[in-house]
Structure formats: structure tokens, C-alpha cells
Amino acid sequence: METEFSRGTGILKALADENRVRIVHILSCGELCACDLLDFFDITQPTLSHHLGILVDAGLLKTRPDGKWTHYTLNREVFDFIEEFMHDLSHETETCLCKKIRRNCK
């Protein structure tokens, strides 16, 4: 469970930026080259690369080199993990930390 907390919070930190959320949303339609992603933003190429790097490092994006360009797609497995993580975080489950606490209050 602790490993899931660490992984989940790392992913959420990567998503805690409006530009990165927009990148994910744009890529929900399919693979795009970084040069095409840049057209959606009013930011510099180095800034876009910085945001893409954070998303890649968090495992949210997959890359595919193509000559001098890099194409990006969503890593669906990581999005499945974060969806389940958020569900388990907000719903009672058998692995809840609260189940490890002995309640003596009555």
C-alpha cells in the first residue's frame, strides 16, 4: 500500500499543472509529435519539453522517436492505475489504513 501511495502521489504531482493537464487532454485523441503539441500553447519549445519530460518521468506518456522528432502518446496502463488509486483513496476497501487502527472509542 505504501508503494501505491508513493506512486500515486508522484503521478498526481506531475498532473498538478494546467499545461500538463492540457497536454494529457490533447493526447487523449491519439499520438502527436511535440512540434504539433506546441501549436496548442503559447509557450516556448523548451517549456513544452520541460512539461513533457515531467509527464514522461511520471510514466504518464510514452515516447516514440521518429528521426529528429519525438511522438507522444498516453500510457493507458498508468491512467488505469491512477483511476483505481483515486477510487481506493476515496472509498472504503479491505486495504484501508483505517482498518489497521484499533478503535477503543465507544
Side-chain angles (χ1 to χ4, degrees), residues 2-3 10 12-13 21 26 35-36 45 48 55 59 61 63-64 69-71 74 85 87 90 106:
E2 290 301 320
T3 304
L12 292 174
K13 285 179 185 178
V21 171
I26 292 163
C35 60
D36 293 327
Q45 183 276 325
L48 177 64
L55 293 169
L61 301 183
T63 61
R64 182 179 63 81
W69 302 110
T70 301
H71 296 262
L74 298 183
F85 175 77
H87 178 272
S90 60
K106 296 187 183 194

Side-chain angles (χ1 to χ4, degrees), residues 38-106:
L38 195 55
D39 292 339
F40 290 92
F41 296 93
D42 187 25
I43 59 176
T44 64
Q45 183 276 325
T47 300
L48 177 64
S49 292
H50 169 76
H51 289 302
L52 290 168
I54 290 171
L55 293 169
V56 169
D57 289 347
L60 290 160
L61 301 183
K62 294 180 184 180
T63 61
R64 182 179 63 81
D66 182 21
K68 66 178 185 171
W69 302 110
T70 301
H71 296 262
Y72 295 87
T73 56
L74 298 183
N75 184 347
R76 299 287 180 190
E77 292 171 2
V78 174
F79 281 92
D80 290 344
F81 165 80
I82 202 65
E83 183 178 339
E84 185 176 332
F85 175 77
M86 293 301 293
H87 178 272
D88 290 350
L89 188 64
S90 60
H91 293 81
E92 184 177 344
T93 67
E94 290 304 313
T95 59
C96 279
L97 295 178
C98 61
K99 300 218 183 274
K100 295 181 180 182
I101 296 173
R102 186 173 165 199
R103 296 182 182 186
N104 294 319
C105 302
K106 296 187 183 194

